Every structure is written in C-alpha cells, then in structure tokens.
Amino acid sequence: MRIALIGNQNSGKTTLFNALTGANQKIGNWPGVTIEQKVGYISNGTHEIIDLPGIYSLSPYTLEEALSRAFLIQEKPDLIINIIDATSIERSLYLTTQLMELNIDMVIALNMADMFDKKGISIDIKALSEQLQTSIVKISALKRSGLKELVDIIESQTYIKHQTQSIFRPNVEKIIGHLVSQIHQDHARFIAIKLLEKDPIIESVGLDIDKWIKPLEQSYQQDIETIIASGRYDYIEKVKSQTFVRLHHGDHTTELLDKIFLNKWLALPIFALIMFLIYYISVGVIGSLTVDFIDGNVSALSSWMFDWLRNIGASEWSASLVADGMIAGVGAVLNFVPQLILLFILISLLESTGYMTRIAFFLDRLFKKFGLSGKSLIPFILGSGCSIPGIMATRTIEGQDERRISIMVTPFIPCSAKLPIIALFAGFFFPNYAGFVSFSLYVLSILIILLSAIIMKTFFFKGTPSAFISELPNYKLPNLRYTVRDVYDKIAEFIEKAGTIILMSSIIIWLLTSFSITLTYGVDVDESILAYIGRVFSYLFYPMLGDLSWATSVSAIQGLVAKEQVVSSMAVIGGLSADITEGNVILNAPIYAFFTPASAYAFMTFNLFSAPCFGAIGAMRKELGSAKKMWQAILFQTGLAYVLSIVIYQTLTFIGGLL
C-alpha cells in the first residue's frame, strides 16, 4: 500500500514520519526540483509512506503545494494520512476539506490533542469523525502515543472509506454537482471546485465556467474564491461547534497574564513598550556597539587587501575592484549582522511565548475598522524578517479585498534589509537616541499602514474583513531550539543575499563609479558614468534632501534590487570619492556632507515606504494575480513614500529654522 502523509507546516508531520518509519527511510529530491523527498516504510516494509511537503492548501500558490497536489492526483496513493494540529484546528481543517474532495481514502491523525486539556476544551472524537465521515486517531507524535492504533487501523484497513461530502451552500453545491456530471475524470468533485476557483493549472475541460461563476458572484457580492473559502470556513465552524466542548476556563497562568497583556486599556501601551525595547536593544544600546567594531575591521581588511594585491603585481583597478568594490560593498551590509541577530532573537523569543498570536487576536477588533483583521498582523510580523514570506503569508486571509490591502502594505514594515539603512542614519545623526528614532519609524510604519488601509478601503476595496479564526496558544517559556533555528535561517538568508545579489550590484556600482563615459579609469567620481546617470534622478530627490546629490539618488534607486544595496552603494561611492578617516563611517565621506538630521530622517522614510526589492515585487505580482495590480501597488507605495518624505523634510526643516 502507498500512503501519502500530508499536513500543514509545523503540524508534527516530520516527527510522525520519523516515528513511523525510524531508520527505514530514504531521502532524495523530487524530480526536477531541490525540495527534499522523504520515503519510508512501515509494518516491515509492506506499506510505503511518502512524506509530502508541508502545505496549507491544494491551491498551487507555491512549489510545495503544486508538488503535493500533483502527487495526489497523478500518483494516486491508496491512502492519505492527514495530520492535523489540534491546537490550530481551523487552519488544519481547511486543507482537510480539500483532501476530502479527492477520491482517495483518508485517515486523520489528530496530533497534540492532549494540549486541549490545559485549555479546558474537550474534543468529541467520535462526533468529529461522524461530521467529517473520516476515521480519526488521536496521537502525540512527539510523545509517540497513539501510533500503534494508527498503524493497526492502516494494516486492518478498518478505516472509513471515502465518501463525498457536501459542505457548501445549496446553490453552490448545485453548480458543483452539475459540473461533476460533465467531468469524466478521477477526482471530478475536486476538479469542478478548482474550475470554479479559476485554478490556473486545471484545464477547463471544454466547459463554459463563467456562466456559472457570474451569477454566484452577483448573488453573494463577492469573488468566487472568497465564496468557496468562506464556505469551507463556515463548514469548519459548524464542525467545531458540534464537537468541541469547553469544560473550564483553561490554564490559570495564561488567564492571569491575559488580564495584564490583553487588558483593554493596557494591551496597546504594553505592546508598544515591548516593541520599543526590542528596537532600543537591537539598534540602540547593544547593537550600535558592534557596528564601529566590525566596520573598522572591514576597512582594515579592505586596505590590507588593496596593498597585498598591489604588492603581488595586481593592477590598481583590479585591486580597487576587490578592496573598494567587493569587500567594502558587502562589508558595509555585514556590519549590521549583529544587530539583525539581536532583533531576530528578540522577535523569535516573543513569538515562541504565544504572545504575538494573542495580541493579534486582541488587535482584530481595531484592525477591522481599517479594513483589515487580526490575521493581517501575522504577515506584518513575518515581514519584519523579510517582506517576501510576509506577502506570501497573506494567503491565510480569506477576504480578497482584505488580502490585497495586506499584500500592498506589508512591505511598509521595517524588514531586515531596511534595518542597515535605519541603523546607519539613526546611529550617525542621532547617536544618543538611535533606538528611539528606529522605534519611531516602526510606529510611523504602523500609522501609515492603517492610513493606507483606510484609503484603499474607502476608494478601492470595499469588502468586509474576514473573521479572525485561531486557536490561541497558552503562554509558555520561549523555545530556545525554535529560536536558534529561526534566527539561523533568517541570518543565513541575509548573508546569502549579501554574497550574491549585493556582491554583484557592488561590482556594477564600482565599475560605473570608476570609469568615465569614455571608459577612462580613475576619473573623479563626479565625472563617472554613474554620476551622469545620477544627476538625472537627483532633481527628483532634491525636495526631500535639500541637495542635488546624485550619489544618494542612485543609491536609493538601488533599493529596488535589494534594500541592503542602498548602504552598500553608498559605501562604494563614498569610499571612492575620498578617504574616510573618522571612524570609517560611510556618512563621514564628503560627498554626503550635505545630510542634516531632517534629510536623514526623510531619506530613511523614503526607503522604508518605497516599492520593495525585486523579490518582494515578484511576490506581490504572484499574490495579487496580475501585473496591472502589481504596478498599481508599486505606484501607490513609491508615490506615498515620495510625498511623505518631502513633507517630513520640509516640516522638520521649517521647525529647525524656527528653533
């Protein structure tokens, strides 16, 4: 028997796979891709079990989802083991409702159900099985309990065989039934629903789908994807209401802490204080101590490399390329790795305590007033590491309008790529208040997100925000193992980007800065190719900088490639324009002498809110569904950033003049 093991990420799927198969497994890659494929055997090798990638749905938004779906449809396994995280039941059951549409037998492994005892909630397993018409085995993958029962039901094949379930509203089910009758293929119900959802992979099989979709959209005043998603969540809520029983109020410690952290008067001030401390520690007090130290070492390495290359006979231009282009460019970004490590550690520790999920639930009511929901906070939190996973995380938001708003405003969160810009300018112009200034930009980003949401809700997206459905975890001590892994992954990704995209961009900047239009090497930077290009853009940036700085203008435009490249570009240009002797800080270069605290804050603001890097733009294109909507998002983000930075510069300059 071939068995497919499938479930959400972090549902305990890998733990269950390892527990079932032990050493009797092999690991390779899926054909044509680098995603890991795990295959193992249970019951003395009589049953093959395939560990499919962790996914949240069978819609092909990601490569993992496309692989899992293709395997289930094309390889036709005999059985699906759907592992469900009982502590995130709604999210897990969303995938389950899609698996139920396939013509494949399924057994549900209900993992971590014992955690509900602490919450004072009891699950009626028998009733849940009857509602889903699927066999359910209660397990704990970590404690290895219930695994024998799971294996026994597989070997005896006494599990409930597949039955078609009608989970949507009658008028939707009527159309699905009509389509099913005309689809002469396996998994006809699954295909019919995907046709309604306008799935890009499923072929139309010669049916005019639009004539069925338009009446539904007119009837519900929603797009078809929202109608289907809402139908799934309505069904899940119905199942939950009939199978979950609250016995008592749950964990006493959690209740006590909630009285403080989720108090209607104290919750927001406490949240603001926590985020302030995170930025104060990572960018201010401790984090800033590391920048000068690393910067000095990078500068020393650059000088040593230049001298060493010249001594062994290298030409001046090749020595400068390595020292002033590659080492200085990449090193300027790596200066801020310790600050990023601190920031990621603090945020990851906060997430693992369960606080972030609970504060998201609290903010749901506030966010609804702005066309968002508490679910939008999750992409914002992920966006603090990188905008790309933050944008992708908006898939968990059911409402299409709410999801589009969240996609467009998630890049406004200060991500790891923007932190070097903030840390550089805040540390140089506001040395005693770097942490406070950094936090002020975080607060500004939240305010601009809410303001932008109001604008888009009022004029463009008028849909109703979706409900925030989530099982709230109890407070717990931080998981150091999770924190180390999470921080390592994020820092590794940051360094990988520095070693690839930023390195290549730094070389290009060096070339354009070191050569004139006639390709003469060693010219003054003001006569370089880059200077001529930059002067065209300098007029655009003059209202927010107060100076026609070509160097700053081209560095800001470099942010479209990668926001880290802004600092790297400034470092290469500044290093070639003059020797920096005072502390080896980029902003000591004479070419940046025009900066004032007002223009520095305005420049940070522009880079915070302007269109994100190419990678994030690509993610927006995919999630928004069209190039047109992507360009609308880019124009909105960059236009808002431009106007806002000008207003800030002019206002601060005016106030400074009065003082």
Side-chain angles (χ1 to χ4, degrees), residues 560-573:
L560 285 174
V561 178
K563 289 296 181 183
E564 304 97 327
Q565 186 58 31
V566 175
V567 171
S568 180
S569 177
M570 292 182 71
V572 174
I573 296 171

Side-chain angles (χ1 to χ4, degrees), residues 287-599:
S288 60
L289 296 177
T290 64
V291 175
D292 289 343
F293 173 76
I294 297 177
D295 189 52
N297 283 290
V298 170
S299 179
L301 175 63
S302 176
S303 299
W304 177 84
M305 182 60 70
F306 180 85
D307 294 338
W308 181 77
L309 288 171
R310 292 291 287 151
N311 289 335
I312 63 172
S315 62
E316 183 177 346
W317 74 265
S318 61
S320 178
L321 170 61
V322 175
D324 300 323
M326 299 168 69
I327 295 177
V330 174
V333 176
L334 295 182
N335 289 344
F336 303 97
V337 166
Q339 290 179 309
L340 285 173
I341 292 175
L342 271 173
L343 179 66
F344 291 154
I345 287 174
L346 294 173
I347 290 179
S348 186
L349 287 173
L350 200 60
E351 288 178 350
S352 65
T353 63
Y355 171 75
M356 282 305 208
T357 303
R358 301 186 80 85
I359 194 65
F361 183 80
F362 175 86
L363 291 172
D364 179 58
R365 183 177 299 177
L366 174 64
F367 277 22
K368 271 189 171 64
K369 297 178 181 179
F370 300 94
L372 302 171
S373 79
K375 280 189 176 181
S376 302
L377 187 64
I378 306 303
F380 299 162
I381 294 170
L382 291 174
S384 65
C386 176
S387 294
I388 297 173
I391 292 168
M392 293 173 65
T394 59
R395 296 171 187 171
T396 61
I397 301 171
E398 292 77 51
Q400 186 181 49
D401 288 346
E402 177 191 349
R403 184 167 65 250
R404 287 175 177 171
I405 294 174
S406 298
I407 291 168
M408 294 172 70
V409 300
T410 292
F412 289 164
I413 290 292
C415 66
S416 60
K418 298 170 185 174
L419 186 68
I421 306 171
I422 295 171
L424 173 66
F425 282 87
F428 188 86
F429 288 99
F430 311 95
N432 297 324
Y433 305 98
F436 179 81
V437 169
S438 302
F439 174 68
S440 72
L441 287 165
Y442 182 85
V443 173
L444 180 62
S445 71
I446 296 297
L447 294 176
I448 295 302
I449 283 172
L450 297 179
L451 176 63
S452 300
I454 290 176
I455 294 172
M456 286 186 273
K457 178 186 176 184
T458 303
F459 297 103
F460 306 108
F461 308 121
K462 300 182 180 182
T464 303
S466 60
F468 183 38
I469 304 173
S470 177
E471 285 295 336
L472 298 183
N474 290 329
Y475 290 105
K476 56 186 177 182
L477 291 174
N479 187 323
L480 295 181
R481 193 178 195 180
Y482 164 80
T483 298
V484 170
R485 185 177 67 249
D486 184 52
V487 173
Y488 173 81
D489 290 342
K490 289 177 179 176
I491 291 298
E493 183 181 0
F494 182 85
I495 293 175
E496 181 183 359
K497 188 184 290 185
T500 53
I501 297 174
I502 295 172
L503 175 62
M504 183 58 64
S505 298
S506 297
I507 292 173
I508 293 172
I509 290 295
W510 180 89
L511 289 169
L512 294 176
T513 310
S514 299
F515 289 87
S516 67
I517 292 179
T518 59
L519 299 182
T520 303
Y521 170 71
V523 297
D524 186 276
V525 290
D526 285 322
E527 301 300 321
S528 66
I529 298 172
L530 192 63
Y532 280 96
I533 297 172
R535 288 191 184 100
V536 176
F537 297 101
S538 64
Y539 293 94
L540 290 173
F541 287 87
Y542 180 81
M544 74 178 74
L545 298 176
D547 187 88
L548 292 173
S549 173
W550 65 265
T552 309
S553 302
V554 294
S555 297
I557 293 170
Q558 281 278 305
L560 285 174
V561 178
K563 289 296 181 183
E564 304 97 327
Q565 186 58 31
V566 175
V567 171
S568 180
S569 177
M570 292 182 71
V572 174
I573 296 171
L576 291 175
S577 66
D579 291 329
I580 306 173
T581 57
E582 186 183 341
N584 298 311
V585 178
I586 297 169
L587 293 171
N588 281 319
I591 201 168
Y592 304 123
F594 71 90
F595 268 113
T596 64
S599 57

